[in-house]
Amino acid sequence: MRYLGFLTGADDISASIGALKRQVTGPVFRLRTLWRGDGKKAPVFGTIADPAERFRAVADFYGVSGVEIERRTRVSALCFWLAFFPSLPLAVGSLTFALTEHIYSAALLCASCALACISQALKFGLANYQFRTRSLLPFRDYLRDENLFPRFRSDRP
């Protein structure tokens, strides 16, 4: 029976339907926990001073393993670059529309899209920095870092 599903393509169809279902229900479950919550709060922000210990405590609280942290490091780096690259032509387009064409509505639209891309890139850059260093350091420490661009591998073993 399993071979019949493979030959007819039914396995691919059921896998696609399952992936679509997960894509639809995943954000709904995350939004539900955002508003309703699960009743559990991580009691580490007021009690632990060291950012690395806080990171470990929160990772243990949410059940995130070292392999998952490495995966999230790679994903956050990829998301940074996917958000950062569109901001460059949008910024150039904004300047072009404003300075040469004098189409200020298009310039404003390009500039606002570029700012949205840059804000997302900074968000993913901070997440990558926290995953790489495995500590919950604040945004100002990320900005003070010598290299704002994320890396695909963790700094810590």
Side-chain angles (χ1 to χ4, degrees):
M1 189 61 148
R2 196 172 77 191
Y3 299 112
L4 184 62
F6 175 74
L7 292 174
T8 61
D11 289 345
D12 294 334
I13 293 170
S14 66
S16 298
I17 290 172
L20 183 63
K21 178 185 170 189
R22 285 188 299 276
Q23 286 180 346
V24 170
T25 58
V28 171
F29 288 131
R30 285 192 292 276
L31 283 174
R32 189 177 67 191
T33 58
L34 182 74
W35 277 298
R36 196 171 43 147
D38 55 358
K40 300 185 297 185
K41 300 274 187 211
V44 296
F45 289 107
T47 58
I48 301 174
D50 184 33
E53 289 180 29
R54 279 197 330 236
F55 184 87
R56 281 192 300 275
V58 170
D60 291 341
F61 181 77
Y62 289 109
V64 178
S65 65
V67 175
E68 178 66 16
I69 291 171
E70 288 298 321
R71 188 190 73 78
R72 290 181 184 189
T73 303
R74 290 189 305 274
V75 167
S76 62
L78 179 65
C79 288
F80 173 87
W81 291 113
L82 287 176
F84 180 73
F85 280 137
S87 67
L88 298 175
L90 285 168
V92 170
S94 175
L95 289 173
T96 303
F97 283 128
L99 298 177
T100 61
E101 302 293 327
H102 301 293
I103 305 172
Y104 298 112
S105 60
L108 186 60
L109 180 65
C110 286
S112 62
C113 290
L115 286 175
C117 288
I118 288 172
S119 69
Q120 288 297 311
L122 286 174
K123 180 183 89 166
F124 288 119
L126 173 65
N128 183 271
Y129 177 71
Q130 289 177 339
F131 286 134
R132 274 188 293 129
T133 59
R134 294 193 183 196
S135 60
L136 292 178
L137 294 169
F139 187 70
R140 70 173 176 269
D141 288 344
Y142 167 62
L143 289 178
R144 289 180 189 155
D145 192 29
E146 65 273 357
N147 189 3
L148 290 177
F149 296 121
R151 291 178 225 136
F152 288 93
R153 296 189 187 271
S154 179
D155 293 343
R156 294 188 178 183

